[in-house]
Amino acid sequence: MLNTTTAAISAESATALVECDRLVKYFPVKKGFFQGEEAYVHAVDDVDLRIERGETLGLVGESGCGKTTLGRVILGLERPTSGRVLFEGQDMSALSSREMKPIRRRMQVIFQDPYSSLNPRKTVRSIIMEPLTIHGIGTLAQRRKKVMDLMEEVGLRQELADRYPHEFSGGQRQRIGIARALALNPSLVVADEPVSALDVSIRSQVLNLLEDLQEKYGLTYLFISHDLSVVEHIADRVAVMYLGKVAEIGTRNQIYDETLHPYTEALLSAVPTTDPGDKHRRIILEGDVPSPIDPPSGCRFHPRCWLRIPVCSKIVPPLKDVGHGHAAACHVRAPAL
């Protein structure tokens, strides 16, 4: 028989840090200037997702597919239209703003633009200290020491603490954002395109920093990006989104080496290669991305898919696990029956 401590540890390890259960987020929009009817942008539509403790889940897809909205709903910055988000087993959609405050300490965000996400009127010291002040953590002396420790942790010299954001390079500003995100010792960090605004030479430095911090503090990352080469470097598992739905999910090796969904295949074919002998086939998708206000029936990818069969336009394919946690929503390559 397990003792109480062992049972508690087992229960914690069995529960994912984040669970999205049939998550839906629609945004109302007017159909026309003189029309009273409303339509809805299907930003996130019936998404089931788990983020395990200590892992990095890469979330990829074209612009407008719902990646950032999903991240915002997970963080509690947007209320879901339906469905729920469980954080450490607790349903966040049922909590008030007051009840959410202690949970917000456990989840932080690193923004895409390292300049606009920092207050230009505040010094680096004030920016990093602000989360500690808001949550009333420690004395002023303890907060100042924490700021110095965090600056050193992310590779910034302590004597730069009283400078302003405009006095730093893009890579340095992103390090300030990372230090701010770490100030409250979070469990989950949502990194929304954290290196897309940086020079290529700086990206690897920031990615390596994120990996080192994850190993040191046991962080869990939701890493949002449109760059599959970056995601391949940092992610343990990868989820591919298309028009508000998860098209495929699996480990990094499953997604990159055992691709199932045609959309994932098309994305991977567009990744540049440095090998002149690599003659991989470039897949050119037909037409434009459909409107999220009026998404196609059945499989949302079927109007652009070269493998489509009649059922694709009629029935929404379920996200089917084909083995070892590798799942795809495709009637052809992962049929439900």
Side-chain angles (χ1 to χ4, degrees), residues 216-288:
K216 183 172 183 178
Y217 295 106
L219 299 171
T220 302
Y221 290 143
L222 174 62
F223 191 93
I224 300 170
S225 179
H226 67 278
D227 190 335
L228 276 82
S229 59
V230 170
V231 171
E232 184 179 16
H233 174 78
I234 197 170
D236 301 304
R237 290 191 304 133
V238 180
V240 181
M241 283 191 74
Y242 184 78
L243 272 183
K245 287 185 173 291
V246 174
E248 185 172 359
I249 187 168
T251 65
R252 176 174 54 196
N253 290 339
Q254 287 169 340
I255 295 297
Y256 286 84
D257 300 332
E258 305 168 24
T259 311
L260 286 175
H261 201 284
Y263 176 62
T264 310
E265 188 177 346
L267 287 180
L268 289 173
S269 78
V271 176
T273 177
T274 57
D275 182 4
D278 187 355
K279 303 296 183 182
H280 71 285
R281 183 171 66 98
R282 174 74 166 90
I283 298 172
I284 307 297
L285 295 178
E286 303 174 2
D288 297 322

Side-chain angles (χ1 to χ4, degrees), residues 5-71:
T5 304
T6 306
I9 293 172
S10 299
E12 182 177 335
S13 61
T15 305
L17 182 67
V18 177
E19 293 182 78
C20 300
D21 180 20
R22 306 205 68 174
L23 197 60
V24 173
K25 180 60 182 179
Y26 293 167
F27 292 101
V29 292
K30 291 284 186 182
K31 280 189 173 179
F33 186 78
F34 296 106
Q35 293 176 309
E37 291 184 52
E38 281 187 333
Y40 293 90
V41 174
H42 296 231
V44 177
D45 205 347
D46 198 22
V47 167
D48 291 319
L49 200 65
R50 288 171 61 93
I51 306 177
E52 304 295 340
R53 297 174 188 273
E55 79 166 342
T56 298
L57 176 66
L59 188 61
V60 302
E62 293 170 286
S63 296
C65 72
K67 306 185 300 295
T68 295
T69 300
L70 178 57

